[in-house]
Amino acid sequence: MRSWISAHVWLVALVFAAVAFVSRPAAADDRQECLNGSKETAAATIAACTRAIESGDYDDRDLSILYHQRGDFWSWTSLADCVDRALKDYTDAIRLEPEAVSSLLNRSHIYNQRHDYDRAIADVNRAFEGGLSDYGKRVGYDERGYAYQAKGDIDRAIADYTDSIQLNANSYFALAARGSAYHAKGDLDRAIADLDQVIALYPKYAPPYYNRCLVYREKGDFDRAIADCSQAIALYPQYRDAYYYRGDAYQAKGDVDRAIADYDQIISLDPNDSDAHSSRATAYLSRGDFRRAFADLGAGQVLLWLATIVLLAVIGWLCSRTGVYARRWSGRTMIEACEQQIADMQHRNAALERIAAALEKHSSG
């Protein structure tokens, strides 16, 4: 009996040993598949990473790497929550290895996508403290510059983009982003210089032409604005914003027919584009085509316009009337009377606006 028990114990021990012997190579194979995966095999790679993570054979830095790798591959899936899963994996990687700089940079990108700019900046700062390669520094400068620009800290954004450009003079993102930052700052010549360089390096990309169109439009150089937006449209015929600002430039030059043609094109791409309808209405009004202008504006907006015009006319008349009696009133009394008349008219105009809104709601229903 004792010998049977002893034999049974040895048999169980051999089974566990065999399982351990088999599981370790399997976990090692999963790790290799996880680390060497490709976007074409994203689902299989994620499954291998998951098996390796759950094997219990890895900890600390090795486990952090597996989480990071799985985080990368979520982006190649069509899952609705792929970004949430990636964020969780990068966070787990950082928890296990606080100086996991690649996970910090990738998480900063997700934070930027979610408009959580302070966290994006904090992650990039931690990544720099952990030590980055030149490529990592470029990614860090670009992500942090983007966050600073989104927060309105234009000077810091420009500084980061400039540092990125010093590491790679042909960086599309850094040059285009710095051009945009210079534009936001009002430094239009430097904005154009950066966009010139982007276009020279990447002549088949539509956005740099569109962005330079905006800068030329702001400088009042309508012909160059039209040329750049036209090139953007040639490269990407569905570029609605390029049609809009080319139409705006045509309208500024007095070429109303071409402006209307561009607004027509936008509306054909998106019938609900309110800006295009409003701009086309203005163009129709400028050539006296009130019927088409009112059709674009809608009943509610037309009433608001008319109410505003009436209000301004009545205010002007009341204030001029008040001026007739200015000699009998002190200056302050005259001003107070005029202000009272304006306040009364604003009250009446608010009522008109409510009526207009009700009409608009009724017509849309």
Side-chain angles (χ1 to χ4, degrees):
M1 182 68 178
R2 290 179 61 181
S3 63
W4 180 86
I5 294 173
S6 177
H8 182 71
V9 170
W10 277 107
L11 180 60
V12 172
L14 286 171
V15 169
F16 275 112
V19 170
F21 180 76
V22 172
S23 66
R24 285 197 178 91
D29 291 343
D30 287 334
R31 179 178 183 276
Q32 287 304 311
E33 186 177 351
C34 176
L35 298 179
N36 298 321
S38 64
K39 66 179 182 180
E40 291 78 15
T41 60
T45 301
I46 288 170
C49 292
T50 301
R51 289 193 298 271
I53 288 168
E54 294 175 353
S55 70
D57 288 353
Y58 306 101
D59 56 16
D60 299 335
R61 187 173 186 277
D62 289 334
L63 188 56
S64 173
I65 291 170
L66 293 172
Y67 274 117
H68 173 85
Q69 193 73 356
R70 189 173 68 175
D72 283 348
F73 279 95
W74 288 120
S75 64
W76 299 111
T77 71
S78 58
L79 294 173
D81 62 344
C82 63
V83 177
D84 291 331
R85 295 184 184 217
L87 179 62
K88 184 179 183 305
D89 275 346
Y90 293 139
T91 299
D92 283 336
I94 295 163
R95 173 179 54 79
L96 291 161
E97 179 63 35
E99 293 185 354
V101 294
S102 295
S103 295
L104 285 164
L105 291 177
N106 287 3
R107 192 171 70 172
S108 77
H109 180 72
I110 293 176
Y111 283 143
N112 270 333
Q113 287 180 319
R114 295 185 167 188
H115 313 295
D116 194 345
Y117 304 118
D118 290 330
R119 284 183 174 174
I121 292 168
D123 272 356
V124 173
N125 290 342
R126 284 180 62 184
F128 273 110
E129 291 169 3
L132 292 169
S133 65
D134 282 352
Y135 174 78
K137 289 177 182 177
R138 283 165 45 201
V139 173
Y141 287 132
D142 289 346
E143 292 292 348
R144 193 171 64 185
Y146 179 89
Y148 279 137
Q149 186 171 357
K151 282 170 62 72
D153 195 341
I154 304 300
D155 290 332
R156 283 185 175 175
I158 290 171
D160 271 343
Y161 296 143
T162 300
D163 285 338
S164 179
I165 292 165
Q166 287 175 349
L167 292 169
N168 179 14
N170 296 334
S171 170
Y172 172 87
F173 176 84
L175 285 165
R178 191 175 69 175
S180 173
Y182 278 134
H183 185 193
K185 190 177 180 180
D187 195 339
L188 303 185
D189 291 333
R190 283 184 175 173
I192 289 172
D194 274 348
L195 293 169
D196 286 346
Q197 192 172 347
V198 175
I199 289 168
L201 291 167
Y202 305 94
K204 299 300 183 182
Y205 285 16
Y209 290 102
Y210 166 73
N211 288 335
R212 195 172 64 178
C213 163
L214 298 184
V215 182
Y216 279 133
R217 173 67 183 86
E218 191 166 333
K219 283 173 69 74
D221 192 338
F222 302 121
D223 290 331
R224 285 183 174 175
I226 290 167
D228 272 348
C229 274
S230 296
Q231 185 60 31
I233 292 166
L235 291 168
Y236 180 51
Q238 285 75 44
Y239 210 147
R240 286 162 44 194
D241 288 344
Y243 282 113
Y244 183 83
Y245 281 100
R246 188 175 69 175
D248 178 70
Y250 278 136
Q251 196 165 348
K253 287 188 66 176
D255 194 341
V256 178
D257 291 337
R258 285 185 176 175
I260 290 172
D262 275 345
Y263 301 140
D264 287 343
Q265 186 65 35
I266 299 169
I267 293 167
S268 71
L269 294 170
D270 181 6
N272 297 318
D273 192 311
S274 59
D275 290 335
H277 279 288
S278 179
S279 294
R280 190 172 68 176
T282 303
Y284 281 138
L285 284 173
S286 69
R287 71 180 191 186
D289 192 340
F290 297 106
R291 181 180 62 83
R292 288 181 176 174
F294 290 169
D296 266 335
L297 289 172
Q301 198 168 354
V302 169
L303 284 175
L304 286 175
W305 275 32
L306 292 174
T308 302
I309 292 169
V310 170
L311 171 67
L312 293 173
V314 172
I315 288 173
W317 177 76
L318 288 172
C319 289
S320 63
R321 182 184 172 199
T322 304
V324 172
Y325 303 99
R327 290 184 182 179
R328 278 187 265 169
W329 297 345
S330 68
R332 179 171 178 78
T333 305
M334 182 183 71
I335 292 171
E336 288 176 346
C338 190
E339 287 178 345
Q340 182 59 49
Q341 296 285 1
I342 292 172
D344 291 342
M345 287 306 302
Q346 285 175 336
H347 180 72
R348 295 187 189 101
N349 191 53
L352 285 172
E353 287 179 358
R354 289 194 294 272
I355 294 169
L359 286 172
E360 186 173 16
K361 183 177 178 181
H362 178 72
S363 62
S364 63

